[in-house]
Amino acid sequence: MNPIIRLAASALPGEKKYILFAGAGVSKDAGVPTAWDVMLQTAGLLYVESVKNGEKDPNIDLEKWFETSQYGQMSYAELMDQLYPNYPDQQSFLKQALGTQPVGEVHHLIAELARRGIIRAIITTNVDDYLEKALEEIKIKTQVISNDEDLKHCEPLIHCKDFRVYKPHGTLGKGAIRNTPKDLEKLSPLMEEELVRVLSEHGVIVIGYSGRDKGIIDVFNRRNHNYYPLFWINPSQPTGEIEKIFEDPRVAYLPCVRA
Protein backbone atom coordinates (compact mmCIF):
# COMPACT_ATOMS: atom_id res chain seq x y z
CA MET A 1 0.00 0.00 0.00
CA ASN A 2 1.12 3.55 -0.75
CA PRO A 3 2.67 4.92 2.50
CA ILE A 4 0.78 8.23 2.14
CA ILE A 5 -2.52 6.30 2.27
CA ARG A 6 -1.36 4.50 5.40
CA LEU A 7 -0.36 7.79 6.98
CA ALA A 8 -3.66 9.49 6.09
CA ALA A 9 -5.62 6.56 7.51
CA SER A 10 -3.61 6.46 10.72
CA ALA A 11 -3.01 10.14 11.55
CA LEU A 12 -6.55 11.08 12.49
CA PRO A 13 -7.62 14.46 13.95
CA GLY A 14 -8.10 14.60 17.71
CA GLU A 15 -6.22 11.41 18.53
CA LYS A 16 -2.80 13.04 19.08
CA LYS A 17 -1.26 9.73 18.13
CA TYR A 18 1.81 11.19 16.43
CA ILE A 19 4.96 13.12 17.28
CA LEU A 20 6.38 15.30 14.51
CA PHE A 21 10.18 15.33 14.22
CA ALA A 22 11.37 18.39 12.24
CA GLY A 23 14.84 18.85 10.79
CA ALA A 24 16.61 21.67 8.95
CA GLY A 25 14.60 21.09 5.78
CA VAL A 26 11.56 22.55 7.50
CA SER A 27 13.22 25.94 7.93
CA LYS A 28 15.05 25.76 4.59
CA ASP A 29 11.65 25.58 2.89
CA ALA A 30 10.85 28.97 4.44
CA GLY A 31 14.05 30.58 3.19
CA VAL A 32 15.99 30.37 6.45
CA PRO A 33 19.73 30.03 5.69
CA THR A 34 20.97 26.44 5.54
CA ALA A 35 24.08 25.19 7.34
CA TRP A 36 26.03 25.76 4.09
CA ASP A 37 24.70 29.32 3.82
CA VAL A 38 25.74 29.97 7.41
CA MET A 39 29.20 28.56 6.71
CA LEU A 40 29.59 30.88 3.71
CA GLN A 41 28.84 33.86 5.95
CA THR A 42 32.11 33.11 7.75
CA ALA A 43 34.14 33.16 4.51
CA GLY A 44 35.27 36.79 4.78
CA LEU A 45 36.53 36.32 8.33
CA LEU A 46 38.32 33.08 7.43
CA TYR A 47 39.91 34.61 4.32
CA VAL A 48 41.38 37.51 6.31
CA GLU A 49 42.79 35.04 8.81
CA SER A 50 44.33 32.88 6.08
CA VAL A 51 46.22 35.79 4.49
CA LYS A 52 47.07 37.77 7.62
CA ASN A 53 50.77 37.55 6.71
CA GLY A 54 50.19 37.99 3.00
CA GLU A 55 48.45 40.35 0.62
CA LYS A 56 44.67 40.31 0.32
CA ASP A 57 43.09 40.16 -3.12
CA PRO A 58 40.39 42.89 -3.31
CA ASN A 59 38.65 41.00 -6.15
CA ILE A 60 38.54 37.62 -4.42
CA ASP A 61 35.42 35.51 -4.98
CA LEU A 62 34.88 34.49 -1.36
CA GLU A 63 32.46 31.67 -2.15
CA LYS A 64 34.85 30.02 -4.61
CA TRP A 65 37.76 30.56 -2.21
CA PHE A 66 35.79 28.99 0.63
CA GLU A 67 34.74 25.96 -1.45
CA THR A 68 38.36 25.14 -2.33
CA SER A 69 39.83 25.95 1.10
CA GLN A 70 40.33 23.56 4.01
CA TYR A 71 37.23 25.10 5.61
CA GLY A 72 35.00 24.09 2.72
CA GLN A 73 35.80 20.45 3.47
CA MET A 74 34.65 20.75 7.09
CA SER A 75 31.20 19.94 8.38
CA TYR A 76 29.09 22.77 9.79
CA ALA A 77 29.68 21.47 13.32
CA GLU A 78 33.45 21.28 12.85
CA LEU A 79 33.62 24.84 11.54
CA MET A 80 31.51 26.22 14.38
CA ASP A 81 33.73 24.40 16.87
CA GLN A 82 36.81 26.16 15.50
CA LEU A 83 35.29 29.61 15.10
CA TYR A 84 32.94 29.85 18.08
CA PRO A 85 33.88 27.37 20.82
CA ASN A 86 31.92 29.39 23.41
CA TYR A 87 28.12 29.19 23.60
CA PRO A 88 27.51 32.97 23.93
CA ASP A 89 29.51 33.57 20.73
CA GLN A 90 27.53 30.85 18.96
CA GLN A 91 24.26 32.42 20.09
CA SER A 92 25.32 35.86 18.88
CA PHE A 93 26.56 34.62 15.50
CA LEU A 94 23.52 32.44 14.79
CA LYS A 95 21.04 35.17 15.70
CA GLN A 96 22.63 37.39 13.08
CA ALA A 97 23.19 34.62 10.51
CA LEU A 98 19.65 33.20 10.59
CA GLY A 99 18.08 36.60 10.05
CA THR A 100 14.39 37.41 10.45
CA GLN A 101 12.58 35.53 7.71
CA PRO A 102 8.77 35.38 7.94
CA VAL A 103 7.20 32.15 9.13
CA GLY A 104 7.07 29.75 6.19
CA GLU A 105 4.30 27.67 4.67
CA VAL A 106 5.64 24.44 6.10
CA HIS A 107 5.70 25.98 9.60
CA HIS A 108 2.05 26.98 9.19
CA LEU A 109 1.09 23.50 7.96
CA ILE A 110 2.80 21.86 10.94
CA ALA A 111 0.96 24.23 13.28
CA GLU A 112 -2.28 23.17 11.60
CA LEU A 113 -1.47 19.52 12.41
CA ALA A 114 -1.17 20.59 16.04
CA ARG A 115 -4.45 22.55 15.91
CA ARG A 116 -6.27 19.53 14.51
CA GLY A 117 -4.91 17.30 17.27
CA ILE A 118 -3.04 15.03 14.86
CA ILE A 119 0.31 15.52 16.62
CA ARG A 120 0.84 15.70 20.38
CA ALA A 121 4.25 17.39 20.30
CA ILE A 122 7.15 18.42 18.08
CA ILE A 123 10.78 17.44 18.39
CA THR A 124 13.14 19.59 16.34
CA THR A 125 16.90 19.85 15.89
CA ASN A 126 16.43 23.46 14.70
CA VAL A 127 17.46 26.17 17.14
CA ASP A 128 15.32 28.86 15.47
CA ASP A 129 11.85 29.72 16.79
CA TYR A 130 9.77 29.66 13.58
CA LEU A 131 7.70 26.66 14.65
CA GLU A 132 6.87 28.32 17.95
CA LYS A 133 5.86 31.51 16.12
CA ALA A 134 3.60 29.55 13.77
CA LEU A 135 1.89 27.89 16.74
CA GLU A 136 1.48 31.19 18.56
CA GLU A 137 -0.05 32.81 15.46
CA ILE A 138 -3.00 30.42 15.75
CA LYS A 139 -3.21 30.92 19.53
CA ILE A 140 -1.60 27.64 20.55
CA LYS A 141 0.39 28.09 23.76
CA THR A 142 3.75 26.35 23.64
CA GLN A 143 6.04 24.85 26.24
CA VAL A 144 9.63 24.67 24.99
CA ILE A 145 11.92 21.99 26.44
CA SER A 146 15.53 22.66 25.42
CA ASN A 147 17.69 21.37 28.28
CA ASP A 148 17.79 19.15 31.36
CA GLU A 149 16.55 21.87 33.68
CA ASP A 150 13.41 22.26 31.58
CA LEU A 151 12.86 18.50 31.75
CA LYS A 152 13.35 18.31 35.51
CA HIS A 153 10.63 20.89 36.11
CA CYS A 154 7.97 19.82 33.63
CA GLU A 155 5.05 17.43 33.91
CA PRO A 156 4.82 14.21 31.87
CA LEU A 157 3.89 14.91 28.26
CA ILE A 158 0.49 13.23 28.61
CA HIS A 159 -0.46 15.80 31.31
CA CYS A 160 0.97 18.88 29.57
CA LYS A 161 -1.81 21.41 28.89
CA ASP A 162 0.29 23.47 26.47
CA PHE A 163 1.66 22.18 23.18
CA ARG A 164 5.18 20.94 23.80
CA VAL A 165 8.19 21.57 21.55
CA TYR A 166 11.33 19.59 22.37
CA LYS A 167 14.56 21.23 21.16
CA PRO A 168 17.39 18.83 22.12
CA HIS A 169 20.01 20.96 20.34
CA GLY A 170 18.95 24.08 22.24
CA THR A 171 17.12 27.25 21.27
CA LEU A 172 18.27 30.72 20.26
CA GLY A 173 18.39 33.18 23.12
CA LYS A 174 18.51 30.59 25.87
CA GLY A 175 21.58 28.84 27.21
CA ALA A 176 23.82 26.40 25.38
CA ILE A 177 23.38 25.31 21.77
CA ARG A 178 24.57 21.92 20.54
CA ASN A 179 26.64 22.91 17.55
CA THR A 180 30.01 21.17 17.73
CA PRO A 181 30.94 17.55 16.90
CA LYS A 182 31.37 16.79 20.60
CA ASP A 183 27.96 18.29 21.40
CA LEU A 184 26.21 16.29 18.67
CA GLU A 185 27.88 13.00 19.57
CA LYS A 186 25.59 12.34 22.53
CA LEU A 187 22.53 13.93 24.11
CA SER A 188 22.34 14.17 27.87
CA PRO A 189 21.06 10.91 29.45
CA LEU A 190 17.94 12.70 30.70
CA MET A 191 17.07 14.17 27.27
CA GLU A 192 17.84 10.92 25.48
CA GLU A 193 15.59 8.89 27.79
CA GLU A 194 12.75 11.40 27.40
CA LEU A 195 12.92 11.40 23.61
CA VAL A 196 13.17 7.60 23.40
CA ARG A 197 10.10 7.28 25.62
CA VAL A 198 8.08 9.90 23.73
CA LEU A 199 8.93 8.44 20.32
CA SER A 200 8.23 4.89 21.52
CA GLU A 201 4.78 5.78 22.84
CA HIS A 202 3.62 7.48 19.62
CA GLY A 203 3.70 7.18 15.88
CA VAL A 204 6.35 9.42 14.35
CA ILE A 205 6.33 11.71 11.31
CA VAL A 206 9.84 12.87 10.37
CA ILE A 207 10.03 15.89 8.06
CA GLY A 208 13.11 17.48 6.50
CA TYR A 209 15.71 15.61 8.55
CA SER A 210 18.74 13.87 7.02
CA GLY A 211 19.60 11.70 10.04
CA ARG A 212 23.20 12.82 10.49
CA ASP A 213 23.48 13.61 14.21
CA LYS A 214 24.90 10.72 16.24
CA GLY A 215 22.99 11.65 19.39
CA ILE A 216 19.67 11.72 17.52
CA ILE A 217 20.46 8.52 15.62
CA ASP A 218 20.90 6.78 18.98
CA VAL A 219 17.40 7.89 19.95
CA PHE A 220 15.85 6.51 16.76
CA ASN A 221 17.77 3.25 17.12
CA ARG A 222 16.51 2.84 20.69
CA ARG A 223 12.90 3.66 19.84
CA ASN A 224 10.50 0.75 20.35
CA HIS A 225 8.96 0.10 16.91
CA ASN A 226 6.51 -2.54 18.13
CA TYR A 227 3.45 -0.33 18.53
CA TYR A 228 3.28 2.59 16.11
CA PRO A 229 4.64 3.28 12.61
CA LEU A 230 7.27 5.82 11.58
CA PHE A 231 6.95 7.85 8.36
CA TRP A 232 10.10 9.58 7.08
CA ILE A 233 9.34 12.46 4.68
CA ASN A 234 12.30 13.97 2.83
CA PRO A 235 13.41 14.80 -0.75
CA SER A 236 15.62 11.68 -0.70
CA GLN A 237 15.88 8.67 1.59
CA PRO A 238 18.52 9.32 4.27
CA THR A 239 21.80 7.44 4.01
CA GLY A 240 24.49 6.49 6.49
CA GLU A 241 23.93 5.07 9.96
CA ILE A 242 20.24 5.96 10.02
CA GLU A 243 19.60 3.59 7.07
CA LYS A 244 19.32 0.64 9.44
CA ILE A 245 15.94 1.73 10.76
CA PHE A 246 14.43 1.38 7.26
CA GLU A 247 14.92 -2.39 7.52
CA ASP A 248 11.86 -2.41 9.79
CA PRO A 249 8.67 -2.85 7.68
CA ARG A 250 6.86 -0.40 9.97
CA VAL A 251 9.18 2.41 8.84
CA ALA A 252 8.13 4.00 5.54
CA TYR A 253 9.90 6.58 3.39
CA LEU A 254 7.80 9.20 1.58
CA PRO A 255 9.49 11.43 -1.03
CA CYS A 256 8.51 15.10 -0.75
CA VAL A 257 10.34 18.12 -2.13
CA ARG A 258 8.46 21.12 -0.69
CA ALA A 259 5.83 22.05 1.85
Side-chain angles (χ1 to χ4, degrees):
M1 181 184 292
N2 188 326
I4 196 68
I5 302 299
R6 289 171 49 205
L7 176 57
S10 175
L12 300 176
E15 293 190 350
K16 297 184 179 180
K17 192 189 299 182
Y18 280 84
I19 300 295
L20 187 134
F21 191 103
V26 166
S27 289
K28 178 183 177 181
D29 191 86
V32 178
T34 64
W36 178 250
D37 295 330
V38 171
M39 289 171 72
L40 286 177
Q41 290 188 40
T42 69
L45 179 65
L46 294 170
Y47 175 69
V48 170
E49 172 65 18
S50 71
V51 297
K52 60 184 177 183
N53 296 321
E55 186 174 342
K56 290 185 288 186
D57 179 357
N59 300 314
I60 186 74
D61 185 322
L62 286 175
E63 183 170 347
K64 287 184 178 179
W65 172 86
F66 182 84
E67 289 175 345
T68 57
S69 73
Q70 59 176 318
Y71 306 109
Q73 311 310 310
M74 292 181 179
S75 70
Y76 166 77
E78 290 169 335
L79 184 60
M80 289 300 103
D81 190 27
Q82 288 208 12
L83 277 175
Y84 304 106
N86 299 316
Y87 292 128
D89 291 338
Q90 290 180 21
Q91 285 272 10
S92 178
F93 169 72
L94 285 173
K95 280 182 183 178
Q96 182 178 15
L98 294 178
T100 55
Q101 295 288 334
V103 175
E105 181 185 4
V106 68
H107 298 122
H108 288 302
L109 292 172
I110 290 172
E112 180 63 15
L113 293 179
R115 189 190 68 79
R116 295 189 185 191
I118 292 173
I119 56 176
R120 184 178 296 278
I122 293 170
I123 301 172
T124 180
T125 54
N126 299 336
V127 299
D128 62 61
D129 61 355
Y130 290 97
L131 284 168
E132 296 97 293
K133 288 179 178 176
L135 290 163
E136 290 166 3
E137 283 183 11
I138 57 173
K139 311 301 181 186
I140 294 178
K141 292 181 63 178
T142 59
Q143 180 190 69
V144 176
I145 304 293
S146 62
N147 55 46
D148 283 2
E149 282 302 305
D150 292 338
L151 277 175
K152 289 175 184 177
H153 301 291
C154 72
E155 63 276 75
L157 177 59
I158 194 70
H159 298 306
C160 183
K161 294 180 180 179
D162 295 337
F163 186 86
R164 184 171 292 178
V165 180
Y166 291 97
K167 305 182 79 170
H169 287 175
T171 188
L172 279 181
K174 180 183 175 184
I177 291 176
R178 289 182 175 271
N179 244 335
T180 69
K182 184 179 178 181
D183 289 336
L184 300 175
E185 185 71 20
K186 191 76 175 172
L187 298 179
S188 73
L190 189 62
M191 182 65 77
E192 181 175 324
E193 290 302 320
E194 173 73 3
L195 298 188
V196 169
R197 183 184 62 79
V198 167
L199 292 182
S200 296
E201 293 176 351
H202 299 80
V204 181
I205 303 170
V206 181
I207 298 182
Y209 181 59
S210 61
R212 296 292 183 186
D213 307 311
K214 179 63 168 59
I216 298 296
I217 291 173
D218 289 344
V219 170
F220 277 107
N221 285 336
R222 289 187 56 203
R223 175 183 181 259
N224 188 327
H225 292 264
N226 291 334
Y227 303 112
Y228 298 105
L230 185 153
F231 296 92
W232 200 293
I233 304 169
N234 206 52
S236 59
Q237 184 167 322
T239 58
E241 287 188 55
I242 199 67
E243 280 184 286
K244 290 185 293 185
I245 74 165
F246 291 95
E247 296 172 4
D248 189 317
R250 285 158 294 197
V251 176
Y253 164 67
L254 285 75
C256 182
V257 178
R258 295 193 57 78

